[in-house]
Amino acid sequence: MDPFIVRSGSEDGSGSSIITTGKLLGVFDGHADRGELVSEFVKNELPRLLHSKLSAAGVDLQMEAHVQQALVETFVELDGLVPADPSGGCTCSVILQLNHKVYVANAGDSVSFVAAVTTTKSSSSSSSEATTTEIIYQSRDDKPHLPEERRRIEEMG
């Protein structure tokens, strides 16, 4: 996988750039007749659009709020750019890793999980291992029965 490389201004205002390398993983699930076209569009456009927002002047990649805002703006802008057709759409889940931080974002009725897998060796036998998996984060599924989601849908008409 190619790295997701972002340049941002330095914290000291010297004008030099800080290069941040990360990874962007996504799942785009098209639905309805033309959903595959929408999911293909989002798959191609989301990395470019997010990269431009993260690389913009004044964005400090060390500040979580700046990265979170870039993700929100990217999702909202993509929603307005997708090929408008009442017979297609897609859900989207992305995981963005920048340096040592991981950001999870989703839209639609998709859920993302971040899990920690731990393998420990048994003290009684060097060949015996135990593996445990713990879900450490789960995103919210945007279903219309949730009050916030219902209100958002109704406000859109």
Side-chain angles (χ1 to χ4, degrees):
M1 170 188 307
D2 293 333
F4 189 80
I5 299 174
V6 181
R7 291 183 186 269
S8 67
S10 66
E11 292 178 15
D12 64 5
S14 68
S16 62
S17 291
I18 298 171
I19 298 174
T20 301
T21 302
K23 291 185 172 67
L24 178 64
L25 306 169
V27 176
F28 312 100
D29 181 17
H31 56 264
D33 292 338
R34 295 193 177 98
E36 73 278 359
L37 298 175
V38 176
S39 62
E40 186 71 21
F41 176 83
V42 172
K43 176 193 75 139
N44 292 329
E45 293 299 313
L46 187 140
R48 181 193 60 75
L49 187 56
L50 179 59
H51 182 272
S52 70
K53 293 188 179 305
L54 292 173
S55 299
V59 172
D60 182 352
L61 297 177
Q62 303 306 312
M63 292 187 63
E64 290 179 15
H66 285 192
V67 177
Q68 291 169 349
Q69 186 62 33
L71 282 162
V72 168
E73 288 175 4
T74 298
F75 275 59
V76 170
E77 191 168 331
L78 275 173
D79 193 44
L81 291 174
V82 294
D85 191 316
S87 62
C90 82
T91 63
C92 175
S93 292
V94 297
I95 298 175
L96 173 64
Q97 177 255 323
L98 293 174
N99 295 330
H100 65 280
K101 293 185 180 179
V102 174
Y103 301 87
V104 179
N106 69 292
D109 60 349
S110 59
V111 179
S112 298
F113 297 92
V114 176
V117 178
T118 307
T119 303
T120 55
K121 291 189 178 197
S122 173
S123 58
S124 60
S125 170
S126 62
S127 64
S128 177
E129 292 183 343
T131 302
T132 58
T133 303
E134 176 187 5
I135 296 174
I136 56 177
Y137 176 80
Q138 175 182 342
S139 65
R140 189 189 80 180
D141 190 3
D142 290 332
K143 293 283 193 182
H145 70 276
L146 297 172
E148 293 172 24
E149 185 63 7
R150 177 176 291 279
R151 190 170 29 258
R152 186 189 71 80
I153 292 168
E154 289 173 352
E155 286 174 1
M156 291 176 56

